[in-house]
């Protein structure tokens, strides 16, 4: 089954900026688990992870959190931002150069 990004996005859109900040720890864990999960070879799982990450980033970025660094902190946390984002880029690179489904590559770029 594929993740319902519409439903996830609707739930996030109902949250205020303060709600997101209070959920920062949970969002950080979710983001990191998604990045780690991209190492899995299962295409459906990777597709769901990419859809989740895309929705999460879009929803957090749309909130008025002030400076852009605040959104990065809510998503990955300052203390782990460089490492986590490097790992994400590495995993996306692996998907793009692999023989995996074109649909997976498409979502890796969105």
């Amino acid at each position: 089954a594929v993740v319902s990004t519409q439903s996830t996005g609707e739930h996030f859109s109902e949250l205020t900026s303060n709600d997101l900040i209070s959920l920062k720890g949970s969002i950080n864990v979710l983001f990191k688990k998604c990045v780690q999960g991209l190492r899995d070879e299962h295409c459906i799982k990777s597709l769901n992870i990419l859809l989740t990450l895309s929705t999460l980033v879009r929803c957090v970025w749309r909130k008025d959190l002030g400076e852009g660094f605040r959104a990065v902190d809510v998503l990955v946390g300052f203390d782990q931002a460089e490492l986590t984002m490097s790992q994400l880029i590495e995993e996306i690179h692996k998907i793009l150069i692999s023989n995996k489904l074109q649909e997976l590559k498409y979502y890796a770029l969105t």
Side-chain angles (χ1 to χ4, degrees):
V2 176
V3 170
S4 170
T5 57
Q6 181 179 359
S7 174
T8 305
E10 288 171 1
H11 289 297
F12 267 97
S13 67
E14 294 173 2
L15 298 174
T16 66
S17 298
N18 287 336
D19 292 338
L20 282 180
I21 291 168
S22 69
L23 291 171
K24 174 185 155 338
S26 297
I27 293 171
N28 289 176
V29 169
L30 175 61
F31 195 96
K32 289 173 192 169
K33 292 286 185 184
C34 284
V35 171
Q36 291 169 351
L38 285 175
R39 295 182 185 128
D40 195 302
E41 292 296 317
H42 294 65
C43 286
I44 298 295
K45 183 176 180 180
S46 294
L47 178 60
N48 282 329
I49 289 169
L50 289 170
L51 290 169
T52 299
L53 282 171
S54 177
T55 302
L56 188 61
V57 168
R58 267 186 274 135
C59 290
V60 169
W61 218 259
R62 286 181 184 156
K63 294 296 177 181
D64 182 18
L65 297 173
E67 300 294 323
F69 68 86
R70 192 77 178 238
V72 172
D73 188 37
V74 168
L75 285 168
V76 295
F78 284 134
D79 57 333
Q80 295 291 311
E82 188 173 339
L83 175 64
T84 303
M85 295 309 287
S86 294
Q87 291 170 341
L88 176 60
I89 291 168
E90 181 181 331
E91 294 306 320
I92 288 173
H93 174 75
K94 288 177 185 177
I95 290 168
L96 294 174
I97 63 170
S98 72
N99 291 327
K100 293 187 177 183
L101 298 171
Q102 290 299 315
E103 185 178 53
L104 189 59
K105 293 178 181 186
Y106 170 81
Y107 283 107
L109 292 171
T110 59

